[in-house]
Amino acid sequence: MASKVRLTAKERGDEVLRAAVRAFSASGYEGTKTDEIARLAGVSQPYVIRLFGTKQQLFLAAVETVCARIEQIFREAAAERPDLATLGRNYDRLLAEPELLLVLLHSFSASGDPVIGDCVRQRFGSIYTLVRDLTGATPEQTRDFLSAGMLLTCMSAMQVIGPNPIPIQWAQELIQTFGID
Amino acid sequence: MASKVRLTAKERGDEVLRAAVRAFSASGYEGTKTDEIARLAGVSQPYVIRLFGTKQQLFLAAVETVCARIEQIFREAAAERPDLATLGRNYDRLLAEPELLLVLLHSFSASGDPVIGDCVRQRFGSIYTLVRDLTGATPEQTRDFLSAGMLLTCMSAMQVIGPNPIPIQWAQELIQTFGID
DNA sequence: CCTTGTTGTAATTGACTGATAACAAGCTCG
DNA sequence: CGAGCTTGTTATCAGTCAATTACAACAAGG
């Protein structure tokens, strides 16, 4: 059994973090129980807490890794060709990892908490600046790019896009405007 | 004292609903306690539950009224002039009632719950269809309009726009692209 | 081998929270 | 007035959940 294997705190921490991203993407900050994260990671609930201190710090770590991954995808796309059209064509890579956009959305929702809000403003600003600088786009163009991303993010949360989308008329009409998805 | 006044269940229900919209807009579905809603409405917590059955039904009612209000604002704008530019100029009326966009965002986050998800998909589709039909815009144009709205919604949640915005470089750059706000 | 640090769990706790039940206070109409 | 319906509260419960404590298993180095 894998649960019998002893790992270093760093390795186990990474596994717990991955489980946390999955759990938070499904249920949000308040809605996710540390118990559920522990179950997904195959460890006990108190150990999750000891590895990260508090549930809040674990959420912050999840937001950090998710935003870092989003930036990584944009960087790779820009390496292919540094313009917004190319980055846009790579939106399907974000949709292929639905946890990314979902954790992002839940982080917006949790921004009422001052500590989380500070982190989220920082990270989202970092994504905005990265996109603008990678492509040399104007603020207006970057805004339109991110706007489309936010609509896709909300549609992901509504489960009308992504894996196993719930079919509904208006969503299918919208999806078609994005081209083949 | 106002709390001594007896109202009909309908009137008191409306007051509780208004309190619920405020509370849910600040803390989201899971994060808001029925106790807090009761405090805001000036009634006891059990009475809140009895008026709406469950916290979930109260949240659904809040989503319904918020979406109805958003549609009302769009209808009034379209009466002025039925095109997307005019509706866009009325986005500041949405930002003037930050609860609207915030409850909407929290409703996306809570869409993991099947019952809430059904309601949210229905209501958001209704808004999409309304905007498209009021203006005669194409799906592409309507998508771009709603995309901008979703970015504004996320920025509202991050508290970088709306009343008492937290000043931060990237947000101010983005806000300027929207014109005077 | 045994001591020390690290990985991990079981047991528990104390605070919280949505919901229920029982009861009280008004209003209305015959 | 007083019976019955509506409005509203107090008291309380049963369940949940993040966090703490104490302890166990194991590895590494002297």
Side-chain angles (χ1 to χ4, degrees):
Chain A
M1 236 213 249
S3 65
K4 288 295 200 175
V5 179
R6 255 173 84 109
L7 302 180
T8 65
K10 167 109 186 60
E11 289 168 333
R12 190 66 78 187
D14 284 350
E15 287 193 356
V16 169
L17 190 50
R18 273 197 296 275
V21 168
R22 263 191 294 163
F24 282 131
S25 77
S27 319
Y29 176 53
E30 301 274 4
T32 300
K33 314 306 171 191
T34 57
D35 202 22
E36 168 70 4
I37 296 169
R39 210 183 51 75
L40 283 175
V43 297
S44 65
Q45 179 267 339
Y47 198 37
V48 169
I49 294 298
R50 223 183 39 189
L51 284 170
F52 288 87
T54 63
K55 178 183 170 182
Q56 185 189 67
Q57 286 177 276
L58 177 52
F59 185 72
L60 291 175
V63 170
E64 296 280 351
T65 61
V66 159
C67 289
R69 175 80 185 118
I70 291 172
E71 292 191 354
Q72 184 193 7
I73 287 175
F74 283 153
R75 269 185 238 273
E76 288 171 7
E80 180 189 322
R81 198 152 176 284
D83 58 23
L84 283 182
T86 305
L87 260 62
R89 248 177 282 116
N90 278 267
Y91 259 138
D92 57 355
R93 292 179 60 196
L94 290 178
L95 292 172
E97 299 177 50
E99 301 152 1
L100 299 179
L101 295 181
L102 289 176
V103 169
L104 189 65
L105 184 77
H106 288 306
S107 79
F108 297 150
S109 283
S111 291
D113 177 304
V115 178
I116 295 174
D118 278 348
C119 169
V120 171
R121 279 183 292 275
Q122 202 68 34
R123 300 304 318 199
F124 189 79
S126 171
I127 291 174
Y128 164 76
T129 306
L130 180 73
V131 169
R132 193 198 55 193
D133 292 352
L134 280 176
T135 63
T138 66
E140 283 81 4
Q141 293 168 327
T142 310
R143 175 202 62 194
D144 290 342
F145 177 81
L146 289 181
S147 293
M150 290 305 100
L151 179 57
L152 288 174
T153 299
C154 294
M155 290 175 72
S156 284
M158 283 185 267
Q159 302 170 60
V160 296
I161 201 171
N164 294 91
I166 294 168
I168 189 166
Q169 170 58 28
W170 64 266
Q172 286 163 353
E173 190 171 311
L174 268 178
I175 290 168
Q176 284 188 341
T177 72
F178 283 110
I180 299 125
D181 257 331
Chain B
M1 234 211 251
S3 65
K4 287 294 197 176
V5 178
R6 252 174 85 109
L7 302 180
T8 64
K10 168 106 184 60
E11 288 168 333
R12 191 65 79 187
D14 285 350
E15 287 194 357
V16 170
L17 190 49
R18 272 197 297 275
V21 167
R22 263 192 294 163
F24 282 130
S25 78
S27 319
Y29 176 53
E30 302 273 4
T32 300
K33 314 308 172 190
T34 56
D35 201 21
E36 169 70 5
I37 296 170
R39 209 183 52 75
L40 283 175
V43 298
S44 65
Q45 178 267 339
Y47 197 38
V48 169
I49 295 298
R50 226 186 33 195
L51 284 171
F52 287 87
T54 65
K55 179 184 171 182
Q56 186 189 67
Q57 286 178 275
L58 177 52
F59 185 72
L60 291 175
V63 171
E64 296 280 351
T65 62
V66 159
C67 289
R69 175 79 184 121
I70 291 173
E71 293 191 355
Q72 183 194 9
I73 288 175
F74 283 153
R75 270 186 237 274
E76 288 172 7
E80 181 189 321
R81 197 152 176 284
D83 57 23
L84 283 181
T86 305
L87 260 62
R89 249 177 281 114
N90 278 267
Y91 258 139
D92 57 354
R93 293 179 59 196
L94 290 178
L95 292 171
E97 298 176 52
E99 300 153 2
L100 298 180
L101 295 181
L102 290 177
V103 169
L104 190 64
L105 185 76
H106 288 305
S107 79
F108 297 149
S109 283
S111 291
D113 177 304
V115 178
I116 295 174
D118 279 348
C119 169
V120 171
R121 279 183 293 274
Q122 201 69 35
R123 301 304 317 198
F124 189 79
S126 170
I127 291 174
Y128 164 75
T129 306
L130 179 73
V131 169
R132 193 198 55 192
D133 292 352
L134 279 177
T135 63
T138 65
E140 282 81 4
Q141 292 168 328
T142 310
R143 175 202 63 194
D144 289 342
F145 177 81
L146 289 181
S147 293
M150 291 305 99
L151 179 58
L152 288 173
T153 299
C154 294
M155 290 175 72
S156 284
M158 282 184 270
Q159 302 169 59
V160 296
I161 201 170
N164 294 91
I166 294 167
I168 189 166
Q169 171 58 29
W170 64 266
Q172 286 163 352
E173 190 172 311
L174 268 177
I175 290 168
Q176 283 189 342
T177 71
F178 284 109
I180 298 123
D181 258 331

